Amino acid sequence: MSSETEKDKQLILDAYEELLKHCKRSREPESKQMIDKAFHFAWEAHREVRRKSGEPYVLHPIAVAQIAAKEMGLGTKSIVASLLHDVVEDTEYTLEDIQNHFGEKVAQIVDGLTKISDVFDQQTSMQAENFRKMLLTLSDDLRVILIKMADRLHNMRTLSSMPLRKQMKIAGETLFLFAPLAHRMGLYAIKSELEDLSLRYEHPDDFDNISKKIIEQEEKQQKIIQSIIAPIKEKLKEANIQCSIKNRPRSIFSIWNKIETQNTSIEEIYDLISVRVVFTPKEGVSEKNQCWNIYSLITDIYKPKPERIRDWVSTPKANGYQALHVTAMGPQGRWVEFQIRTEKMDDIAEKGFAVHSKYNTSGSGESELDKWLNDVREILDNPEADAMAFLDEFKLNLFSKEIQVFTPKGHIRTLPKKATTLDFAYDIHTDIGNHCIGAKVNHRLVPLSHELKSGDQVEILTSEKQIPKYEWIEFVITARAKSKIKSAFKKERKEYTLKGSRMIEDQLSDSGLLLNAKAFRKMLEHYKLSNKEELFYKVGIGNININEIDGVVRKKSKSKFIKYWKLQFFGNSEENEDEEILETPNAKPELDKKKTLMLTELAANESYKIAACCKPIPGDEVLGYLDMANNVTIHKRKCPNALKLMSSQGDRILAADWTSHRLMSFLAIIELTGIDKIGIVNEVTNVISKDHDVNMRSLHFESHDGVFEGLIHLYVHNTEDLNNLIMKLIKIKGLDNVKRIENIEEYS
């Protein structure tokens, strides 16, 4: 590795000087000395090492320490641990060296931050297991997870120097786990930036398009915002209220997410304008009353929308967030969301629990975090928990909206939206959940599956004779409840799993078939299961007919591709769609994961297959997933399954790109809505029949109250052909909306 230049030294010293400017909680000489010692220790340890970008490696820990100090408001030990976070893993220094130089507490934090380099079982996702182990450190020190977040943020800010495959893996993992975790920790600013950076690498075209539109609208938007703010400023000044009023720009990711989920345009997102009023509270007056006073002054000017008032001052969110939100009708017929909060509330909203200690708060926010951490620890402490199952359970309660319900004695419990009475029972105590037979909600008898709403008062009814039932898992939604029910069934499940394994072995042995990786792949694909244990269990309890197994294993694989010249207009899709191909007995050659997999027509069926869940077509942004049998499945990058794979099994992700496809056709579905009129179906079919690059498989129209909806299944060569057709269709008079269906699995 090249030695350090004078330019490098100056770069490092400048970065360190910048860090020191933001160490506001480390003004004591002893603190400054400790930070300086850690900086020189890290500089020496990483002296000959460089990052992928070519810059000296020590700039990374300095940047992480600056995020911890400036953007999270953390103190001396956290800054020191940030500077040292990669020393034990990447250099010859040991944890004992860190403890001798910087004390036990810093060593504990660094230990928690040290990247895990164990070799796990091949069947387990290394990322999922790493994440699980990382969260175990929560029980030691909350600062570990905050510094880990700072580390991830800097890695995302410098992701451009990484190869495409790594970019997708890290961006997917960030969006799936770290952004929701930042949200749960109350780190709003960091959560938003992580989401935006993930979008930049996962969907660069979408990111650029939204960025340009925001810039285009900026001047016009500023004028509107100033016209909204001006009369409020005047009114608050008259009331002698010290405050700052500013626009809260919506993040690029939140705009993109709304466009994707609501099929709307950036111009149509009604709550794009959001104004934040941050005030200095007067002493001796309740902050809550002051928030409502400002609300009253604002609604004297703009008429509020009653159903869009959110009071998180009286009952803060579980991540500590406090504010009063109201949506009101502003000038020019625009809805405007006003967020009213004190300076302290604003600081906590942006930096989350990292700054709680600064205010010495000990309200419901912190106790809610402690409760959440305890739930996480309970799931983590189970040594038999499968890493992927853990990820699913953990994810359940990360990003959920919350409701507040009351115990019979009037105590508030915070639960995720859509929580049931059984979730509430397990939230109180495991034994209460296990013996729950029903509940009284607002003095009315309800079943275990009853969905609770904010403000409900819940009394749980129990019986010693009641025991947990496995079907409870189908309707509980909290990770805690699911974990407790599964624990109760663990022993029984093991017995059924063992039984199912023996049954499959005996059945295939009697039929003269081998129980190998290929046989397992066919069974898992046929029954749509994710692992062998699930297969064994379902056979053991009788959910899968054991007599079907040999037929499934003998069955030939099917191709999801259709040769273009075999298609018939309005033809029978079933004849064409599943064309049989012969399986090769030879093992597939190893793929170079560092290279982009080119998706050629000649390699179709042999080198890759199209994912049934999202059915991408040439032109879509895609990635490849390499399974244990060396088979590659191509997913859209937008596909929820792909996002999960990027996050949990990133080492199996391949960068993939299409070559020109003109012989093969791929299934796509478009949805049409419009005003029903005579001849509109004929106009639609005429446009499609005249398009030489598209063939129609089926057409379905429904009309009600003068409005029609249609679904058309088409075979196209690529996204260009599909987009051209959509542009032609939208010109038909009476058609209001034409869009491609992204989640194709539901409609196929």
Side-chain angles (χ1 to χ4, degrees):
M1 201 64 72
S2 59
S3 58
E4 217 171 64
T5 64
E6 284 302 317
K7 188 180 175 184
D8 288 337
K9 286 178 185 174
Q10 196 53 51
L11 204 64
I12 292 164
L13 290 169
D14 288 347
Y16 179 54
E17 282 300 317
E18 187 61 27
L19 164 65
L20 292 177
K21 286 179 193 173
H22 301 288
C23 297
K24 291 175 181 172
R25 290 178 62 189
S26 308
R27 297 299 189 205
E28 296 298 317
E30 195 181 319
S31 297
K32 287 181 179 179
Q33 193 179 346
M34 196 175 181
I35 292 169
D36 198 57
K37 185 180 175 184
F39 161 64
H40 285 97
F41 191 95
W43 190 1
E44 184 57 41
H46 297 296
R47 190 168 286 277
E48 294 299 317
V49 187
R50 292 183 180 272
R51 300 190 83 206
K52 286 272 186 188
S53 59
E55 66 182 19
Y57 192 88
V58 75
L59 289 174
H60 168 65
I62 294 171
V64 172
Q66 184 166 325
I67 292 168
K70 181 185 176 183
E71 298 177 48
M72 293 180 172
L74 296 178
T76 305
K77 286 188 177 66
S78 298
I79 294 164
V80 169
S82 300
L83 287 166
L84 303 170
H85 79 271
D86 278 336
V87 166
V88 174
E89 158 113 41
D90 296 342
T91 75
E92 292 177 4
Y93 288 104
T94 65
L95 204 60
E96 197 178 341
D97 294 329
I98 302 288
Q99 187 166 334
N100 290 338
H101 284 87
F102 301 97
E104 191 179 344
K105 181 46 74 177
V106 170
Q108 276 179 5
I109 299 172
V110 171
D111 187 29
L113 287 162
T114 300
K115 297 184 186 78
I116 301 123
S117 54
D118 303 352
V119 179
F120 304 106
D121 181 86
Q122 273 192 313
Q123 299 294 329
T124 305
S125 155
M126 194 174 289
Q127 280 166 284
E129 191 62 32
N130 281 355
F131 192 77
R132 185 174 183 272
K133 289 192 174 184
M134 181 186 84
L135 287 173
L136 274 169
T137 59
L138 283 168
S139 56
D140 299 325
D141 200 313
L142 190 58
R143 286 172 288 193
V144 172
I145 203 72
L146 294 168
I147 298 167
K148 187 73 182 174
M149 204 68 69
D151 179 43
R152 174 52 56 123
L153 180 57
H154 186 248
N155 283 336
M156 287 301 294
R157 285 174 178 172
T158 56
L159 198 56
S160 58
S161 57
M162 301 293 279
L164 178 60
R165 186 179 73 85
K166 290 275 189 184
Q167 286 177 354
M168 286 193 301
K169 166 188 177 268
I170 294 166
E173 182 183 72
T174 299
L175 197 56
F176 187 78
L177 291 170
F178 282 90
L181 187 57
H183 171 83
R184 200 63 173 82
M185 306 300 286
L187 302 163
Y188 176 80
I190 287 173
K191 175 213 119 180
S192 296
E193 189 177 349
L194 287 174
E195 287 174 337
D196 281 357
L197 289 168
S198 297
L199 185 66
R200 171 182 278 173
Y201 292 102
E202 287 201 334
H203 307 294
D205 292 342
D206 291 348
F207 182 89
D208 291 341
N209 290 337
I210 294 171
S211 300
K212 281 175 193 168
K213 283 187 178 178
I214 288 171
I215 292 164
E216 284 167 16
Q217 292 190 3
E218 198 167 2
E219 193 178 334
K220 182 184 170 188
Q221 194 85 330
Q222 283 305 317
K223 285 179 182 174
I224 294 166
I225 288 157
Q226 287 312 311
S227 71
I228 292 165
I229 289 174
I232 298 171
K233 262 188 178 171
E234 193 63 36
K235 196 98 171 170
L236 296 183
K237 193 177 176 184
E238 285 172 16
N240 199 26
I241 295 169
Q242 278 189 299
C243 65
S244 65
I245 307 173
K246 56 189 176 185
N247 172 39
R248 181 187 71 88
R250 202 176 179 90
S251 72
I252 294 170
F253 177 84
S254 68
I255 293 170
W256 176 84
N257 195 43
K258 202 153 193 175
I259 290 169
E260 287 293 309
T261 55
Q262 297 184 9
N263 189 38
T264 185
S265 66
I266 189 170
E267 292 81 12
E268 293 173 311
I269 299 173
Y270 86 89
D271 58 348
L272 201 58
I273 297 177
S274 187
V275 174
R276 184 175 295 159
V277 180
V278 180
F279 68 95
T280 307
K282 294 172 184 173
E283 286 186 25
V285 185
S286 153
E287 288 184 0
K288 179 180 168 182
N289 289 347
Q290 290 181 67
C291 286
W292 280 104
N293 183 36
I294 292 170
Y295 161 83
S296 179
L297 293 170
I298 290 170
T299 54
D300 283 346
I301 304 166
Y302 303 121
K303 191 170 176 61
K305 194 176 187 180
E307 67 271 25
R308 294 281 294 176
I309 296 170
R310 302 285 182 270
D311 179 8
W312 284 303
V313 178
S314 305
T315 49
K317 288 186 178 182
N319 62 12
Y321 180 84
Q322 281 186 284
L324 181 60
H325 288 203
V326 58
T327 300
M329 180 60 77
Q332 300 174 25
R334 286 174 176 267
W335 289 110
V336 184
E337 184 189 60
F338 294 95
Q339 299 178 353
I340 304 161
R341 53 173 84 151
T342 65
E343 289 158 344
K344 179 185 85 174
M345 291 174 192
D346 189 56
D347 207 8
I348 290 172
E350 293 302 304
K351 296 177 182 173
F353 283 101
V355 296
H356 262 282
S357 57
K358 185 170 128 185
Y359 296 107
N360 295 317
T361 55
S362 56
S364 60
E366 262 184 313
S367 62
E368 282 296 340
L369 179 72
D370 291 336
K371 180 178 166 299
W372 175 72
L373 291 179
N374 287 330
D375 286 350
V376 171
R377 284 180 203 126
E378 276 195 49
I379 299 168
L380 290 166
D381 285 342
N382 180 357
E384 296 173 31
D386 167 60
M388 287 305 296
F390 154 71
L391 274 188
D392 286 337
E393 289 180 359
F394 181 76
K395 190 84 166 74
L396 275 173
N397 295 148
L398 268 181
F399 225 171
S400 51
K401 292 181 179 176
E402 290 144 358
I403 59 169
Q404 268 92 25
V405 292
F406 295 90
T407 67
K409 291 184 178 177
H411 299 301
I412 290 179
R413 308 290 290 204
T414 301
L415 290 168
K417 205 171 181 182
K418 296 185 181 290
T420 65
T421 50
L422 190 56
D423 287 301
F424 179 87
Y426 275 109
D427 187 67
I428 294 170
H429 197 277
T430 304
D431 284 344
I432 291 174
N434 286 340
H435 297 297
C436 181
I437 55 170
K440 283 185 178 179
V441 173
N442 305 327
H443 309 294
R444 188 170 59 86
L445 199 61
V446 296
L448 301 180
S449 58
H450 176 80
E451 191 178 304
L452 298 172
K453 292 181 176 60
S454 259
D456 282 346
Q457 189 169 30
V458 188
E459 180 188 349
I460 297 298
L461 307 174
T462 60
S463 166
E464 284 302 314
K465 292 178 182 176
Q466 177 71 295
I467 56 168
K469 294 180 172 60
Y470 203 75
E471 57 266 29
W472 287 359
I473 283 179
E474 300 300 319
F475 60 79
V476 293
I477 70 142
T478 58
R480 179 185 173 85
K482 282 183 184 287
S483 176
K484 295 300 178 187
I485 295 165
K486 283 180 181 175
S487 293
F489 280 88
K490 197 147 282 170
K491 189 180 175 189
E492 183 188 9
R493 187 181 177 89
K494 272 186 180 174
E495 289 168 2
Y496 278 122
T497 301
L498 195 61
K499 179 185 172 186
S501 171
R502 287 176 185 147
M503 286 170 73
I504 291 174
E505 279 182 39
D506 293 344
Q507 182 71 18
L508 293 185
S509 179
D510 291 346
S511 304
L513 294 167
L514 290 174
L515 184 59
N516 53 21
K518 193 172 171 183
F520 275 123
R521 192 183 77 242
K522 287 185 174 184
M523 288 186 278
L524 294 176
E525 281 179 5
H526 179 82
Y527 294 111
K528 294 182 179 176
L529 300 172
S530 59
N531 57 59
K532 288 188 279 189
E533 191 205 17
E534 195 70 20
L535 174 71
F536 294 151
Y537 177 69
K538 285 189 179 287
V539 169
I541 62 172
N543 277 7
I544 291 175
N545 185 350
I546 190 65
N547 297 319
E548 293 177 357
I549 293 287
D550 50 350
V552 171
V553 173
R554 288 181 198 276
K555 195 175 176 184
K556 289 182 180 177
S557 290
K558 294 193 172 184
S559 165
K560 293 291 179 190
F561 294 102
I562 307 97
K563 293 295 179 189
Y564 175 62
W565 53 83
K566 287 192 179 180
L567 290 173
Q568 296 173 6
F569 191 63
F570 286 116
N572 183 335
S573 63
E574 298 306 317
E575 289 177 7
N576 300 322
E577 189 168 353
D578 293 319
E579 192 180 307
E580 283 196 354
I581 57 165
L582 293 172
E583 289 190 63
T584 171
N586 300 323
K588 294 191 177 182
E590 283 288 324
L591 282 165
D592 186 349
K593 292 191 217 170
K594 292 180 182 177
K595 290 183 180 175
T596 299
L597 176 66
M598 299 310 294
L599 307 175
T600 65
E601 287 186 283
L602 294 175
N605 307 332
E606 293 168 18
S607 295
Y608 64 91
K609 67 176 182 177
I610 297 294
C613 51
C614 55
K615 288 192 178 172
I617 64 178
D620 285 331
E621 290 179 325
V622 290
L623 55 84
Y625 171 66
L626 186 68
D627 67 16
M628 301 298 291
N630 239 17
N631 299 309
V632 178
T633 306
I634 303 300
H635 288 265
K636 283 184 198 169
R637 288 196 207 171
K638 289 179 183 177
C639 174
N641 292 335
L643 186 63
K644 191 171 176 182
L645 289 169
M646 281 190 279
S647 152
S648 56
Q649 301 188 49
D651 296 333
R652 297 192 162 276
I653 294 297
L654 302 170
D657 204 358
W658 304 97
T659 60
S660 175
H661 280 62
R662 299 308 303 172
L663 293 177
M664 280 186 168
S665 288
F666 299 78
L667 180 66
I669 303 174
I670 57 174
E671 183 181 65
L672 308 93
T673 55
I675 305 300
D676 194 14
K677 64 170 189 171
I678 295 168
I680 193 145
V681 175
N682 196 37
E683 283 185 64
V684 169
T685 53
N686 275 341
V687 167
I688 297 172
S689 62
K690 286 174 185 172
D691 196 322
H692 299 298
D693 293 317
V694 177
N695 265 331
M696 186 156 46
R697 183 180 101 176
S698 66
L699 177 73
H700 177 74
F701 272 84
E702 273 186 13
S703 177
H704 47 86
D705 299 327
V707 175
F708 80 86
E709 293 176 351
L711 277 181
I712 305 175
H713 289 61
L714 305 156
Y715 289 120
V716 297
H717 298 307
N718 51 44
T719 52
E720 188 182 353
D721 292 346
L722 183 62
N723 291 335
N724 287 339
L725 175 66
I726 289 172
M727 293 305 291
K728 289 173 188 173
L729 289 172
I730 201 69
K731 289 175 184 173
I732 296 174
K733 197 173 180 183
L735 276 186
D736 178 57
N737 193 21
V738 183
K739 66 170 183 175
R740 177 184 175 189
I741 296 292
E742 295 289 351
N743 189 4
I744 204 164
E745 199 170 23
E746 292 179 17
Y747 294 85
S748 296

